[in-house]
Amino acid sequence: MRIDIITVLPELLKSPFEASILKRAIEAHLVEVHFHNLRDYTSDNYKSVDDTQFGGGAGMVMMIEPIDKCISALKAKRTYDEVIYMTPDGDTLKQGMANHLSLKKNIIILCGHYKGVDQRVRDHFITREISIGDYVLSGGELAAAVLCDAIIRLIPGVLGNETSALTDSFQDNLLAPPIYTKPREYKGMKVPELLFSGNFPEIEKWREEQAYQITKEKRPDLLED
Ligand code: 6GU
């Protein structure tokens, strides 16, 4: 998989890809992540990427030309499955969406800034608009990093244990059951006895029940759809 990220602030975005699981995935060539600074696609001396909005109103709007130039340059080299725009008014990111995107070959992610992009970019270049939740961030970069993390960890070979992504919270619309490790007892706090029984069908049944109860308590909305 290849991800091309278009941004006015590449430095804000790079560090999550330079540590831990994402770094390993890149080093193992399981994913390629490329950053494109929108200012490199400007045509004026000031390297402007934004301007005031027609019709008046506060806030700057990202201009179509540098975005078009950048996206066109990428599309000239390969075909893209999706051109995603990160924006607080997009579809809220859910596990299912990450699962779907993790199967794609090439995707472009455009990070919104200021008041957002010229509507013509959304109408003509964007195939999907994604938000990471109902709050406003100062730019799409951190949201893009969240989206990339959610996608990349699902690529086969990225996680050490191949099955572990499938047992994550949300994968079956259930939150994860409680987990424990050594010691068996800590300052009087005990691990449920069943987990030492070796009775794996019973343990599995207990985990499923726990997951259901926890979901019912914390996120009953997940049980509805
Ligand atoms: Cl994708 N961008 C911005 N600026 N704010 C957000 C967001 C995206 N998702 C949630 N809040």
Side-chain angles (χ1 to χ4, degrees):
M1 175 179 217
R2 176 184 168 115
I3 304 176
D4 285 280
I5 306 178
I6 306 173
T7 167
V8 290
L9 281 170
E11 63 278 20
L12 179 59
L13 199 48
K14 283 185 178 164
S15 71
F17 298 92
E18 289 163 4
S20 185
I21 289 174
L22 300 189
K23 180 185 183 183
R24 252 196 296 123
I26 292 165
E27 285 173 352
H29 306 289
L30 296 168
V31 64
E32 276 181 46
V33 183
H34 299 269
F35 303 93
H36 307 278
N37 191 335
L38 208 48
R39 290 195 198 281
D40 297 338
Y41 297 85
T42 51
S43 46
D44 64 325
N45 289 337
Y46 304 101
K47 296 188 183 292
S48 316
V49 291
D50 59 331
D51 210 327
T52 53
Q53 59 175 312
F54 284 133
M60 303 296 274
V61 179
M62 288 170 78
M63 296 188 293
I64 190 168
E65 189 185 349
I67 296 171
D68 178 27
K69 280 188 175 153
C70 184
I71 292 177
S72 299
L74 290 169
K75 282 185 173 172
K77 295 200 182 107
R78 63 196 71 78
T79 323
Y80 284 90
D81 302 297
E82 298 274 4
V83 182
I84 299 166
Y85 174 47
M86 301 307 299
T87 176
D89 59 3
D91 296 330
T92 308
L93 178 61
K94 296 277 164 60
Q95 189 61 48
M97 217 189 279
N99 294 350
H100 175 82
L101 292 171
S102 74
L103 301 172
K104 303 291 181 190
K105 193 161 174 330
N106 300 315
I107 64 177
I108 292 174
I109 301 176
L110 171 64
C111 300
H113 244 273
Y114 317 107
K115 273 235 152 314
V117 298
D118 187 304
Q119 183 62 35
R120 291 168 292 184
V121 170
R122 300 172 75 155
D123 292 345
H124 299 283
F125 303 139
I126 299 300
T127 61
R128 189 184 278 268
E129 302 185 329
I130 299 179
S131 159
I132 62 163
D134 292 343
Y135 40 82
V136 177
L137 303 171
S138 35
E141 282 75 13
L142 297 178
V146 167
L147 175 63
C148 288
D149 187 300
I151 292 172
I152 292 169
R153 63 190 295 286
L154 297 171
I155 297 171
V158 170
L159 293 186
N161 180 350
E162 287 282 340
T163 62
S164 75
L166 296 173
T167 58
D168 287 339
S169 281
F170 302 112
Q171 275 301 6
D172 42 14
N173 266 347
L174 289 175
L175 301 180
I179 51 173
Y180 301 89
T181 186
K182 294 181 216 47
R184 252 178 113 123
E185 182 171 343
Y186 183 73
K187 296 184 177 173
M189 298 176 274
K190 290 182 179 148
V191 172
E193 209 51 45
L194 174 67
L195 298 177
F196 311 115
S197 68
N199 187 341
F200 297 107
E202 275 301 311
I203 291 171
E204 195 44 42
K205 199 169 124 215
W206 177 84
R207 286 181 172 152
E208 282 167 16
E209 280 164 11
Q210 289 288 315
Y212 177 77
Q213 285 308 324
I214 287 165
T215 308
K216 205 167 103 181
E217 221 170 274
K218 296 189 187 174
R219 292 292 306 277
D221 58 299
L222 292 177
L223 298 174
E224 279 156 29
D225 37 77

